[in-house]
Amino acid sequence: MTDPDYSGLPDELSVLVTRHWQRFQEVGHTLPDTLLSDLPRVWAGSDYVAEQFIRDPELGEWLAASPLRHRLDGGALAEQVREAVMTCQDEDALKAALRRLRHRHMVRLIWRDLTGLADYHATVADLSLLADTLISTALERLYQWACERGGVPRDEDGEPVKLVVLAMGKLGARELNLSSDIDLIFAYEHEGEIPGERRALSHHQFFLRLGQQLIKALDQNTADGFVFRVDMRLRPWGKSGALAIGFDAMEHYYENQGREWERYALIKMRPVAGDLQAGARLIERLNPFVYRRYIDYGAFESLREMKALIEREVNRKGMQADVKLGAGGIREVEFIVQAFQLIRGGQLPALREPNLIKMLPRLADEGMLPEDVVEELREAYVFLRDVEHRLQAVADRQTQRLPDDELGWQRLTFAMDFSARAAFERALRRHREQVRYHFSQVIADPQEEAEVSEGDQELLDLWLGQLERDDAIARLQGVGVQEPEEVLAALERLRESRAVMNMQRIGRERLDRLMPLLLEALGYQGHGRVTAERLVAFVEAVVRRSAYIALLVENPGALTQLVKLSGASPWIAERLARHPVLLDELLDVSTLYSPPGRDELDDELRQQLLRVAEDDLEQQMEVLRNFKQAHLLRVAASEVTEVLPLMKVSDYLTWLAEAILKQVVMLAWEPLVERHGRPGRTDGQPCNPDFVVVGYGKLGGIELGHNSDLDLVFLHDAASGGSTDGDRPVSNEQFYARLGQRIVHILSTRTMSGQLYEVDTRLRPSGSAGLLVSSMDAFRKYQLNDAWTWEHQALVRARVVAGCSRARERFDGIRHEVLCRPRERDALRRDVLAMREKMVDHLAARQPDRFHLKQDPGGIVDIEFMVQYGVLRWASSHGELTRFTDNVRLLETLAALELMPAQDAGLLREAYLAYRSAAHRASLRKEKSIVDDTEFRDLREGVRAIWDQWFADA
């Protein structure tokens, strides 16, 4: 047998490998020639591999015959393991078979890793697959024996109940180390008893014994070594908890006693053996504990606390050279990723991926980390994990500690493909420094760098009620707070409120950190009692969900915006208190005050809905509501800070409603088509969807306000008397009626996140007595023959806001036809004036010295009626009057056609925009649209003069 060539090794490693080779020859083993060239490199990096070759005379032939250049094949591996395990007749034979398989495959994995045949990704994937297969097959054999001895555990339906083995940590994430513990939890889905000759055996007892047997089969150190070191300490109640636990008890534990660190552990939970489907069901049940529905910035604080504990342990034990736990180590990369998973995973299911390498690019995709930071973290993580593997390959020991002798450094440098130790240490230092920097940027305490000043301590003492009243008032004045006596009273009411008194310790600690910062922001912006009371109401609303308090502590910029916007608008303050999830919008000022365009709105909502399961209507409705609330906040913030003018605000609010309606139509349409098939057109083709939502009023006129409801009419263009083409057909009319009902349900149902929109469908043909959804033909017939003049006035402002282009064109044609019909001038004048007088009688303010911006004479409705009258009077000879639905452009068109003097049109436009702007501001102040009679007197008188002239000349 030819000796290996050691010439490529450093001298000390050459001596080491020569020693191993001599022992190998002394025991009389031989080595296939195909392995000789790589043997020096592998044995230089792993005494463990050399030792296995010396112990196992068949290992060389087995390794040479294995597909060494390829990843493990799951099917072939499972067959190989089953063949070895299922023939075992007792537990001793099982232990021996498992250990022999483990040693051989570990040699193969280390060989591939050290020779460069496998990269990090292949190594951890193969290690995890090997562990899954060994655990699963061992459990299957042990379960068979247990059932033969004590009977089969069954559920209420008589189906067998199996143990679920849940992997945590690295194995759960399919990123197992070369020599790692495996963290496991044992669970079972159903409680019950197995009848016995003398006494029944509970499921708990059965699975407890089975779990103990599995641990012995894997963990016990026999003459053949061990398979995996098993750590069960992550189970509920830790060491003092039951070894196997039922699903119900497990869920109850996490709901009521789960600790913060257990949330991090559960991110990586994965069923690896036993009943995998039941395991998946358990993870679904536990997800609400791991991933909170709201944005959970408390995760940062918890991670800092965990990291501080680890660092104290590292310093105490002198573990700074540990590439996992030391500064800039593997754990810090994991903490960065887990922080975002816990904060956002409740809202973004894409972040619930256990595997770190798969998770990192998703953080870039979601805009949480820049792409260059993600790439630096990925490179550093892979490098550090490679170092970890090279350290563990030496002796099959679980270690992450850098060498403390020269030989160890030579081995590590050589195994990592560096020519010199200094070059390797420079690369290692660079990666660790990058990790440390990014970790500090993400996890660092925003108050950590700033020293606690005497003033800060005084504000804390003030909040805690530890200052004399005069001193407290002076301190508030000192930081710029207006009306300090009233603000102090509001603080005292908050501090002594039941909500604050009953807070849990962590929440109270967070609140105590927030309040000095809040008072400082209040004073810096020069606010007083009104803003303070709004902020107190906000705090009272979120004290039971302290993660929102943590968000404000962690993000001083968000706190600044909260104070600013609460002071500017009670409407915004109330929205934030009612929907604190909106605090997320305050994190980025660049987006808060820069609402997206129409296409961006459509795309953003579509992307958010793609993250939700198609059949999960409840979650889809939550996404829609959260989307609306977030963008309502953005546009309100832009309006109160005068970033957006009125016309842009109305455009944006209208686009928002349209984006939502487009998605709601599809959410309502698709399940009905799946159930009943598609309705048919008159030409025999299936509808797609040949349906439109027509917006009337403010929606149709592109003039929505912050609290506007939606006036909607639903129309379809399917064949009369036809039916759908599915397995459960219904008439076309019945299909579209259900579609309309489903749309109204999605829009108007109140959920935890509120209501999308109040919907009014009374403008449909025949009003409340008519069909919810009409055919185009029926709509045309009604408008031409039965509609009142006021319904034609409403049609002036009607336009399609959602649905297909084919049906849109049909509606536009009908609208144009109806509006362009010749009308008798005096009859039209009488009808319009009669309707206006009726509205004044019922809706005007009728308050001395007060002016209702909308309903009073000279107000918004007068302008709208004049525009509608003009369209209905002259559209028969000027068809271009049907082009627009908004009053501003209709006024411009009337002036351009010389149907209205340009000066009059200009005054009406000015008045209309001034009234609407004032109404918007009143809405954001939560006030009615009623102002002092003197405020718009000139405009009001001008509008009324044009009204008198307009109808007198008619």
Side-chain angles (χ1 to χ4, degrees):
M1 181 171 58
T2 309
D3 284 353
D5 179 6
Y6 308 128
S7 60
L9 297 178
D11 290 344
E12 289 190 38
L13 296 185
S14 176
V15 171
L16 180 71
V17 175
T18 302
R19 211 176 293 135
H20 286 319
W21 182 250
Q22 288 171 348
R23 288 186 59 212
F24 178 75
Q25 289 182 310
E26 287 169 4
V27 295
H29 298 340
T30 59
L31 190 76
D33 289 343
T34 54
L35 302 179
L36 272 174
S37 61
D38 287 333
L39 181 138
R41 179 171 191 85
V42 176
W43 284 13
S46 177
D47 295 339
Y48 165 76
V49 170
E51 191 62 35
Q52 292 307 311
F53 270 93
I54 293 166
R55 288 187 174 195
D56 184 351
E58 300 173 1
L59 177 57
E61 295 296 337
W62 179 88
L63 184 62
S66 71
L68 200 53
R69 295 191 172 276
H70 301 286
R71 295 269 301 271
L72 274 179
D73 177 83
L77 177 65
E79 185 178 339
Q80 181 189 63
V81 175
R82 282 185 63 80
E83 183 181 336
V85 167
M86 302 314 276
T87 57
C88 295
Q89 298 303 309
D90 57 38
E91 290 187 37
D92 287 340
L94 174 65
K95 292 173 187 174
L98 291 171
R99 282 151 180 76
R100 183 164 53 253
L101 285 164
R102 186 263 185 187
H103 285 312
R104 287 188 171 183
H105 279 283
M106 285 297 291
V107 167
R108 180 181 180 277
L109 286 161
I110 293 172
W111 193 286
R112 280 171 46 79
D113 187 58
L114 291 176
T115 57
L117 293 173
D119 60 8
Y120 159 76
H121 310 287
T123 298
V124 296
D126 281 359
L127 277 163
S128 301
L129 176 61
L130 175 64
D132 287 1
T133 308
L134 292 176
I135 297 167
S136 179
T137 313
L139 176 62
E140 184 181 352
R141 191 67 177 126
L142 291 168
Y143 181 75
Q144 286 179 353
W145 288 336
C147 291
E148 289 168 6
R149 287 193 302 267
V152 180
R154 297 185 182 277
D155 62 19
E156 293 176 352
D157 298 324
E159 295 296 319
V161 180
K162 295 184 178 181
L163 186 69
V164 179
V165 178
L166 299 150
M168 314 290 280
K170 293 291 195 297
L171 178 56
R174 291 189 174 92
E175 48 192 27
L176 196 62
N177 294 335
L178 273 176
S179 184
S180 175
D181 289 358
I182 53 173
D183 297 295
L184 302 180
I185 294 176
F186 299 150
Y188 54 93
E189 191 164 19
H190 300 285
E191 299 287 359
E193 289 188 337
I194 307 168
E197 292 182 7
R198 290 190 293 178
R199 63 176 182 173
L201 182 69
S202 71
H203 287 185
H204 176 71
Q205 292 169 314
F206 178 92
F207 289 117
L208 177 64
R209 294 173 187 175
L210 180 60
Q212 290 169 336
Q213 290 160 356
L214 180 60
I215 292 171
K216 283 172 62 178
L218 298 172
D219 183 89
Q220 192 175 56
N221 210 340
T222 70
D224 298 312
F226 59 89
V227 185
F228 295 107
R229 291 173 290 266
V230 177
D231 191 335
M232 300 293 298
R233 290 175 297 175
L234 293 181
R235 67 186 186 272
W237 295 284
K239 289 181 180 179
S240 60
L243 199 63
I245 184 171
F247 281 15
D248 290 344
M250 198 166 180
E251 184 177 20
H252 184 267
Y253 167 82
Y254 287 119
E255 282 181 354
N256 294 283
Q257 300 183 49
R259 291 158 291 182
E260 203 66 23
W261 67 263
E262 288 175 298
R263 294 179 61 207
Y264 311 116
L266 291 180
I267 287 176
K268 295 183 182 291
M269 176 185 276
R270 178 174 66 91
V272 295
D275 191 338
L276 300 183
Q277 291 182 332
R281 290 193 290 272
L282 175 63
I283 288 175
E284 282 297 314
R285 291 171 66 171
L286 299 182
N287 269 342
F289 167 70
V290 184
Y291 302 107
R292 305 290 163 80
R293 193 174 67 85
Y294 48 83
I295 300 163
D296 186 9
Y297 270 85
F300 282 140
E301 187 177 348
S302 299
L303 281 169
R304 276 198 295 270
E305 291 171 359
M306 287 174 61
K307 181 60 180 171
L309 286 172
I310 291 169
E311 287 183 344
R312 284 197 292 273
E313 187 73 358
V314 166
N315 292 331
R316 187 175 68 82
K317 295 184 177 180
M319 297 166 61
Q320 289 83 357
D322 193 300
V323 296
K324 178 181 179 180
L325 300 179
I330 293 166
R331 181 57 53 84
E332 291 189 357
V333 184
E334 294 171 342
F335 274 10
I336 291 169
V337 173
Q338 286 175 319
F340 289 111
Q341 287 182 285
L342 291 175
I343 291 165
R344 302 281 189 169
Q347 295 187 318
L348 302 174
L351 300 188
R352 299 176 191 176
E353 166 60 49
N355 186 279
L356 186 141
I357 290 294
K358 291 180 180 178
M359 260 301 305
L360 276 170
R362 298 185 189 186
L363 296 179
D365 293 342
E366 297 294 344
M368 295 176 189
L369 285 177
E371 288 187 7
D372 59 330
V373 172
V374 164
E375 182 57 25
E376 285 183 6
L377 290 173
R378 188 198 65 79
E379 288 181 4
Y381 183 75
V382 170
F383 185 89
L384 293 170
R385 290 297 305 275
D386 280 340
V387 171
E388 178 184 44
H389 285 167
R390 306 300 192 270
L391 293 170
Q392 293 176 350
V394 174
D396 190 25
R397 279 182 53 241
Q398 185 182 17
T399 180
Q400 289 88 17
R401 186 179 181 83
L402 292 168
D404 50 15
D405 62 359
E406 188 54 39
L407 178 61
W409 275 108
Q410 272 201 23
R411 283 185 120 154
L412 181 57
T413 301
F414 182 72
M416 288 294 295
D417 274 332
F418 282 84
S419 58
R421 173 179 171 178
F424 167 67
E425 287 192 280
R426 278 196 301 272
L428 177 63
R429 190 182 311 114
R430 176 173 58 85
H431 284 304
R432 293 183 70 170
E433 286 173 353
Q434 286 178 339
V435 169
R436 189 63 177 179
Y437 173 76
H438 295 311
F439 176 81
S440 66
Q441 293 296 106
V442 173
I443 307 292
D445 187 337
Q447 274 79 52
E448 190 175 72
E449 295 180 7
E451 294 183 9
V452 177
S453 67
E454 184 178 337
D456 295 333
Q457 184 60 49
E458 281 188 2
L459 287 175
L460 176 59
D461 292 342
L462 185 156
W463 156 243
L464 295 174
Q466 296 173 357
L467 291 185
E468 294 294 331
R469 178 176 175 78
D470 290 345
D471 293 339
I473 291 172
R475 184 67 191 124
L476 288 173
Q477 286 176 324
V479 296
V481 172
Q482 304 298 306
E483 303 165 296
E485 294 90 346
E486 291 89 342
V487 171
L488 183 61
L491 289 174
E492 289 169 350
R493 288 195 300 272
L494 174 63
R495 188 178 63 246
E496 295 167 8
S497 67
R498 180 174 297 180
V500 171
M501 298 291 283
N502 292 336
M503 289 182 77
Q504 295 183 348
R505 179 185 60 82
I506 292 176
R508 183 57 197 262
E509 288 174 355
R510 290 174 177 173
L511 181 62
D512 291 345
R513 291 186 69 193
L514 171 66
M515 293 307 295
L517 302 174
L518 188 146
L519 291 172
E520 194 171 32
L522 191 71
Y524 182 77
Q525 297 184 34
H527 290 290
R529 176 186 59 82
V530 172
T531 305
E533 288 177 349
R534 293 171 187 171
L535 291 168
V536 164
F538 169 82
V539 172
E540 287 178 328
V542 301
V543 288
R544 296 184 62 187
R545 292 175 285 181
S546 66
Y548 292 124
I549 299 174
L551 181 152
L552 295 169
V553 172
E554 299 288 344
N555 296 276
L559 178 61
T560 298
Q561 297 306 318
L562 172 67
V563 174
K564 176 181 179 180
L565 294 174
S566 296
S569 166
W571 185 91
I572 294 178
E574 186 178 285
R575 289 270 165 170
L576 288 167
R578 193 182 302 164
H579 306 288
V581 68
L582 295 175
L583 288 176
D584 188 35
E585 299 300 318
L586 307 185
L587 297 175
D588 188 349
V589 176
S590 65
T591 58
L592 175 63
Y593 298 109
S594 302
R598 188 173 199 160
D599 292 340
E600 292 173 283
L601 271 173
D602 288 341
D603 187 59
E604 183 182 337
L605 180 55
R606 183 179 58 81
Q607 293 287 348
Q608 289 189 22
L609 286 167
L610 283 174
R611 298 171 181 144
V612 181
E614 291 181 4
D615 59 352
D616 191 349
L617 179 60
E618 182 180 351
Q619 186 58 31
Q620 289 165 339
M621 289 169 68
E622 287 299 304
V623 168
L624 289 166
R625 281 152 178 75
N626 289 334
F627 178 81
K628 182 202 172 187
Q629 297 293 352
H631 285 282
L632 277 181
L633 175 65
R634 286 195 198 182
V635 75
S638 298
E639 184 170 12
V640 298
T641 55
E642 300 183 350
V643 172
L644 285 183
L646 170 70
M647 295 285 281
K648 293 292 185 182
V649 169
S650 291
D651 285 351
Y652 184 72
L653 291 171
T654 304
W655 296 343
L656 175 62
E658 290 180 22
I660 290 170
L661 283 166
K662 288 174 191 173
Q663 293 301 326
V664 168
V665 169
M666 296 314 298
L667 292 177
W669 166 264
E670 288 166 354
L672 285 173
V673 169
E674 188 174 337
R675 185 168 186 175
H676 300 296
R678 292 176 182 270
R681 299 175 186 160
T682 53
D683 61 5
Q685 293 298 311
C687 294
N688 188 34
D690 288 79
F691 172 86
V692 288
V693 179
V694 181
Y696 278 69
K698 290 182 179 179
L699 176 60
I702 319 175
E703 296 164 357
L704 277 185
H706 296 283
N707 297 315
S708 297
D709 58 6
L710 301 184
D711 294 303
L712 304 178
V713 170
F714 305 128
L715 302 174
H716 74 83
D717 202 17
S720 176
S723 61
T724 60
D725 59 7
D727 295 332
R728 303 171 66 181
V730 295
S731 69
N732 289 346
E733 291 76 13
Q734 190 176 6
F735 179 94
Y736 282 110
R738 291 180 182 176
L739 179 63
Q741 291 165 353
R742 193 172 172 87
I743 290 170
V744 172
H745 169 76
I746 294 172
L747 290 171
S748 60
T749 297
R750 291 193 178 275
T751 71
M752 289 186 295
S753 300
Q755 186 182 43
L756 266 178
Y757 291 99
E758 193 77 45
V759 176
D760 190 338
T761 61
R762 291 174 296 176
L763 289 174
R764 65 187 187 268
S766 302
S768 298
L771 296 172
L772 180 63
V773 184
S774 299
S775 70
M776 290 285 189
D777 289 338
F779 179 77
R780 177 178 181 274
K781 181 180 178 182
Y782 177 85
Q783 290 289 343
L784 290 174
N785 300 316
D786 302 314
W788 297 85
T789 299
W790 68 263
E791 291 178 283
H792 289 165
Q793 286 180 249
L795 192 62
V796 170
R797 285 158 65 80
R799 65 187 179 88
V800 171
V801 292
C804 71
S805 57
R806 183 176 178 276
R808 180 194 301 266
E809 290 174 7
R810 180 88 197 277
F811 170 81
D812 289 343
I814 294 170
R815 176 177 176 272
H816 181 79
E817 178 185 6
V818 171
L819 295 180
C820 289
R821 291 186 70 191
R823 290 172 174 80
E824 201 279 313
R825 185 181 66 179
D826 290 337
L828 175 63
R829 174 180 172 277
R830 283 194 303 271
D831 288 346
V832 172
L833 287 173
M835 176 54 67
R836 181 66 184 117
E837 287 168 11
K838 186 183 293 185
M839 292 181 68
V840 170
D841 290 342
H842 287 87
L843 300 172
R846 299 192 180 283
Q847 297 177 26
D849 303 321
R850 304 292 286 168
F851 171 48
H852 194 302
L853 292 165
K854 181 175 182 182
Q855 301 295 347
D856 275 349
I860 289 174
V861 175
D862 273 5
I863 300 171
E864 291 174 344
F865 268 50
M866 281 189 274
V867 169
Q868 291 159 12
Y869 172 80
V871 171
L872 294 176
R873 178 175 172 182
W874 287 300
S876 59
S877 55
H878 298 281
E880 54 264 59
L881 283 170
T882 68
R883 180 182 176 189
F884 300 117
T885 61
D886 61 286
N887 288 302
V888 169
R889 285 186 293 183
L890 283 171
L891 282 168
E892 291 169 352
T893 305
L894 286 167
L897 294 172
E898 298 183 352
L899 300 172
M900 175 183 282
Q903 186 174 353
D904 289 355
L907 186 145
L908 292 178
R909 182 182 187 277
E910 180 187 352
Y912 188 69
L913 293 178
Y915 294 161
R916 280 185 53 216
S917 184
H920 271 244
R921 291 194 299 272
S923 174
L924 291 176
R925 293 194 302 269
K926 298 198 70 186
E927 297 172 357
K928 293 182 178 180
S929 298
I930 300 175
V931 299
D932 188 271
D933 188 39
T934 61
E935 190 168 340
F936 294 104
R937 181 171 292 166
D938 290 346
L939 286 175
R940 183 182 180 185
E941 290 173 353
V943 170
R944 204 60 197 169
I946 296 171
W947 172 277
D948 292 338
Q949 184 181 3
W950 188 247
F951 286 104
D953 292 343

